[in-house]
Amino acid sequence: MEENNHIYPIFDRMLMRKDKEDLLKQHSVMVWFTGLSGSGKSTIAIALERELHKRGLLCRILDGDNIRSGINNNLGFTEADRVENIRRIAEVSKLFLDTGVITIAAFISPNNDIREMAADIIGQDDFLEVYVSTPLEECERRDVKGLYAKARKGEIKNFTGISAPFEEPAHPALTLDTSVLSLEESVNKLLELILPRIQKK
């Protein structure tokens, strides 16, 4: 087998995650929102980021808008591309975590295998899965982007919840139903879960 002579590992000379966390005075963690389109994932993620920012904590949100317009702009919506989309997101998230940054991801990520892959890449101990369990009927009623109407007409193929399945997480760290909970209530539940993990003693 030919050796990769151009690769020179430098990890032993780089500053470690703990060095970055000490500088930022926080522990990094991955908060991974999963749920149907229109369930409220991005809305909650943005509100959570603002609350953590107010507390002097550095965060980074990853969602479809900033990922598919950049690093994943060459991917479509085939099954293989969806897996690769999540794989790249997980790898980028791991880099943020290793830099001490609290990372918040909001992606449909519709099945347990794809979320398990992300958790394995990021590290199970750092991965907090938050299931935004808002019912399909409510998500479709909101239809924020007009996607459900197009999916019902057959204009969008393999649309999660309509023509493609969504698997509920088996053991999420937290479940939030935005048809029942207000945005403030959802964020408060998240803060109860996250703050003990990210605040430096």
Side-chain angles (χ1 to χ4, degrees), residues 55-68:
R55 290 165 168 78
L57 297 161
L58 182 62
C59 307
R60 172 77 253 187
I61 291 181
L62 302 175
D63 69 8
D65 291 336
N66 61 25
I67 290 292
R68 282 198 176 267

Side-chain angles (χ1 to χ4, degrees), residues 21-74:
E21 290 180 332
D22 288 346
L23 177 68
L24 295 170
K25 298 180 175 57
Q26 65 184 42
H27 292 293
S28 54
V29 71
M30 174 86 247
V31 184
W32 189 282
F33 290 99
T34 181
L36 295 170
S37 177
S39 60
K41 299 183 300 297
S42 293
T43 300
I44 299 171
I46 290 166
L48 175 64
E49 181 189 43
R50 290 182 181 279
E51 284 302 316
L52 294 175
H53 185 79
K54 285 180 190 174
R55 290 165 168 78
L57 297 161
L58 182 62
C59 307
R60 172 77 253 187
I61 291 181
L62 302 175
D63 69 8
D65 291 336
N66 61 25
I67 290 292
R68 282 198 176 267
S69 64
I71 192 170
N72 287 352
N73 66 2
N74 65 323

Side-chain angles (χ1 to χ4, degrees), residues 81-96:
D81 280 0
R82 286 173 187 261
V83 172
E84 178 61 11
N85 182 52
I86 296 300
R87 188 194 69 79
R88 291 185 196 177
I89 291 161
E91 293 287 1
V92 169
S93 298
K94 186 172 177 61
L95 293 175
F96 277 115

Side-chain angles (χ1 to χ4, degrees), residues 32-42 44 107-108 115 129-140 142 148 166-170 172 174-181 186 189-190:
W32 189 282
F33 290 99
T34 181
L36 295 170
S37 177
S39 60
K41 299 183 300 297
S42 293
I44 299 171
F107 295 94
I108 293 172
R115 294 189 295 265
E129 186 179 52
V130 178
Y131 175 32
V132 185
S133 65
T134 310
L136 172 62
E137 297 74 22
E138 176 62 16
C139 296
E140 194 166 359
R142 296 172 183 174
Y148 284 100
F166 179 87
E167 290 180 10
E168 295 187 2
L174 184 65
T175 298
L176 302 170
D177 180 350
T178 64
S179 70
V180 177
L181 297 169
S186 295
K189 285 180 177 293
L190 280 161

Side-chain angles (χ1 to χ4, degrees), residues 121-134:
I121 292 169
I122 290 162
Q124 295 282 351
D125 290 343
D126 290 323
F127 191 86
L128 290 178
E129 186 179 52
V130 178
Y131 175 32
V132 185
S133 65
T134 310

